[in-house]
Amino acid sequence: MHSFDQNQGGTIHNDHGRPMQDVPQENQRTTKTHADQLNRQCYCITLDRKALTDSLQKQFSDTGNEAPATPEIHHLFSNTPVFVPQADIATMERIVQAIESAAELPPYKEKALSWAPDIAGFDPGPIGAFMGYDFHLGENGPQLIEINTNAGGAFLNTVLARAQHRCCDPSQQTAGTNRALDGFEDAVFAMFQQEWERQGGDSTPGWLAIVDDAPESQFMFPEFQLAQQLFQARGIETLILDPSELEYVDGALSAHGKPIDMVYNRLVDFALEAPALGALRRDYLDGAAVVTPNPRAHALMADKRNLILLSDAQTLRDWGLSETEAGFLDRAVPKTRLVSASDEAELWSNRRKLFFKPVAGHGSKGVYRGEKLTRRVFEEILKGDYIAQNFVPAGERTLRVDGTVTTRKVDIRLYTYAGQHLLAAARVYQGQATNFRTPGGGFAPVFEV
């Protein structure tokens, strides 16, 4: 966690040893200008695809798995990095900390659980592995767009970040980033160990299951294999499973005759409601095997309706959030409201300034930029469960694709655990939401300047 030094004017240090005090505005403008200039004018191809392929093949061979065919994996990665001011990284870390402080406030928990499914009321202890905080960067600093519990891509982004050439700018990876990369596997193992211990486990789990619907058909399946390799290298037998392969009998979870002590949950049925999840749901509610992330973590952290609370800084102050942390959220969380048919006229009138997201959505499905809304789609939004978030434009990255200079959108994701920064990565895309179908797009490493 972050440490506060009350005797040094509130200076904060993160886990990489970087001071997190407020950066003077003049320095912020300088680094932002430098980063913007690089994102507009540096077309360097920094990704060494041979090194990436070799690294993946080595890691998969260590588990007896074959590396995915190049076309199936390489479309996930952009050739170019995204330049981000160190001050923005520090600010994002502070925003994450403020969010997690807010989520600990009793009135916040009460409100968040009031619109969550009943299963979220059960608290077995774990707080959720691999939180993901997504930001757009602009003139007003980092703006929080979304929070995810089972945030994907961390393992792939680590391999990607390690397969970079130096480019025309000397920034490359900072010392802090390199320390994070060097310690990534240990940090991930420690994260799952802590989740295990938060539910009362001792020693380490013997068998772990990575669970998703038809996992081999998921485009993140290579990441599941990388996670499997990490756990097995540290003595935890690991299976990648569809939830239908799980059995729960006599208070014990198992699969194919193997006892499952812990589940790394990659499902998007966050309340474990589908019939095929019956065994996992019963196991979870009995507190048998550890499940992370779990329904409670999603309800408290990633339910999109929580953005309504996080964008209301004054209410958070009234609930007990410190002035400093409330100030970070006031500046960083776009105003969000629940869509109601009673507000139809106002919402339609202001639609060009809004972004609409389904409450239960995931993976950018069913999201709409208000500027592009037709009346027919707007009527459907009014009938569904949606939030309306003040629109914040994505950052931009200029790059060369097939010899042509073009512009793509960018967002930044911080992977965290218990408020600790594990890894920063970018996603490069075009369209109204992130995707992995954009030529020249995909995951991209963050180069701090």
Side-chain angles (χ1 to χ4, degrees):
M1 296 293 286
H2 302 110
S3 58
F4 292 76
D5 186 349
Q6 300 286 344
N7 299 319
Q8 297 296 324
T11 298
I12 297 172
H13 296 265
N14 67 13
D15 295 293
H16 307 307
R18 178 170 62 226
M20 291 176 60
Q21 69 263 29
D22 292 336
V23 178
Q25 287 190 352
E26 183 177 346
N27 290 348
Q28 288 189 16
R29 284 194 297 271
T30 300
T31 57
K32 284 181 184 296
T33 300
H34 185 40
D36 290 343
Q37 182 180 29
L38 288 166
N39 284 326
R40 289 194 308 269
Q41 299 177 1
C42 175
Y43 310 139
C44 291
I45 294 176
T46 60
L47 175 58
D48 184 337
R49 290 194 177 268
K50 183 178 186 303
L52 179 68
T53 300
D54 291 346
S55 176
L56 288 169
Q57 288 178 337
K58 180 182 186 306
Q59 292 192 59
F60 288 127
S61 67
D62 288 344
T63 60
N65 297 313
E66 293 183 3
T70 299
E72 295 179 352
I73 187 77
H74 278 212
H75 74 280
L76 296 175
F77 305 115
S78 175
N79 282 331
T80 56
V82 172
F83 297 92
V84 178
Q86 289 186 27
D88 281 354
I89 296 291
T91 298
M92 286 185 276
E93 291 173 341
R94 291 297 309 273
I95 294 165
V96 167
Q97 184 181 50
I99 291 168
E100 301 211 1
S101 294
E104 287 296 320
L105 299 171
Y108 175 100
K109 287 184 178 180
E110 181 180 357
K111 188 64 177 176
L113 292 174
S114 73
W115 50 49
D118 289 344
I119 194 172
F122 174 59
D123 182 8
I127 60 174
F130 280 121
M131 290 296 302
Y133 293 83
D134 296 342
F135 295 89
H136 286 175
L137 303 185
E139 293 180 359
N140 297 320
Q143 299 288 293
L144 179 78
I145 302 303
E146 195 155 286
I147 304 173
N148 303 278
T149 39
N150 59 353
F155 292 91
L156 292 171
N157 275 300
T158 302
V159 178
L160 173 67
R162 289 169 174 162
Q164 300 295 314
H165 288 301
R166 296 189 69 83
C167 71
C168 60
D169 181 77
S171 64
Q172 189 57 273
Q173 307 286 10
T174 65
T177 302
N178 282 327
R179 283 196 297 272
L181 289 173
D182 291 343
F184 177 78
E185 286 80 5
D186 288 341
V188 169
F189 180 74
M191 172 174 60
F192 279 87
Q193 182 69 28
Q194 287 181 48
E195 289 289 88
W196 172 253
E197 293 172 359
R198 286 177 188 272
Q199 195 164 322
D202 53 15
S203 185
T204 58
W207 285 84
L208 181 145
I210 302 168
V211 176
D212 199 357
D213 293 316
E216 292 189 12
S217 70
Q218 302 288 342
F219 75 96
M220 283 292 182
F221 180 65
E223 173 160 273
F224 301 166
Q225 292 178 297
L226 291 173
Q228 180 185 43
Q229 190 271 340
L230 183 151
F231 293 128
Q232 293 193 163
R234 284 159 176 77
I236 301 175
E237 296 294 338
T238 304
L239 301 174
I240 302 173
L241 302 173
D242 182 274
S244 64
E245 298 177 81
L246 295 169
E247 295 183 338
Y248 186 62
V249 180
D250 297 330
L253 189 68
S254 64
H256 308 294
K258 308 297 184 183
I260 303 299
D261 304 309
M262 191 173 194
V263 173
Y264 175 21
N265 176 22
R266 295 296 297 258
L267 295 160
V268 294
D269 183 343
F270 301 110
L272 308 180
E273 293 176 328
L277 306 183
L280 183 59
R281 181 185 177 91
R282 291 193 301 274
D283 157 78
Y284 173 69
L285 289 173
D286 284 350
V290 174
V291 178
T292 184
N294 60 40
R296 185 177 180 86
H298 179 268
L300 292 177
M301 303 304 300
D303 189 305
K304 291 181 178 61
R305 287 166 290 197
N306 296 347
L307 294 170
I308 300 169
L309 308 179
L310 295 172
S311 67
D312 185 354
Q314 186 53 54
T315 295
L316 293 174
R317 289 185 184 97
D318 294 342
W319 287 349
L321 192 65
S322 73
E323 180 61 38
T324 299
E325 292 184 315
F328 272 100
L329 298 187
D330 198 23
R331 293 187 294 271
V333 184
K335 192 66 179 177
T336 306
R337 61 192 294 184
L338 194 64
V339 170
S340 170
S342 63
D343 299 325
E344 177 179 359
E346 180 188 353
L347 289 168
W348 180 253
S349 175
N350 294 322
R351 68 190 183 280
R352 290 178 176 83
K353 300 177 182 178
L354 299 172
F355 203 88
F356 295 87
K357 298 179 180 180
V359 165
H362 59 87
S364 300
K365 296 177 182 177
V367 302
Y368 298 98
R369 183 175 173 181
E371 185 179 53
K372 301 178 182 296
L373 271 185
T374 64
R375 189 74 200 191
R376 181 189 64 79
V377 172
F378 180 66
E379 294 295 336
E380 292 299 317
I381 288 174
L382 291 175
K383 296 175 186 176
D385 290 328
Y386 268 76
I387 59 165
Q389 187 179 52
N390 282 2
F391 174 70
V392 177
E396 292 186 339
R397 176 72 167 101
T398 304
L399 61 157
R400 187 177 282 118
V401 179
D402 296 330
T404 301
V405 175
T406 186
T407 300
R408 297 289 188 247
K409 297 177 182 178
V410 170
D411 71 5
I412 306 297
R413 171 171 288 181
L414 254 58
Y415 297 94
T416 72
Y417 178 67
Q420 299 182 41
H421 174 178
L422 295 172
L423 187 73
R427 293 181 293 182
V428 178
Y429 64 100
Q430 63 183 357
Q432 69 174 5
T434 53
N435 61 75
F436 290 91
R437 297 180 297 276
T438 299
F443 287 126
V446 166
F447 284 5
E448 297 183 28
V449 295

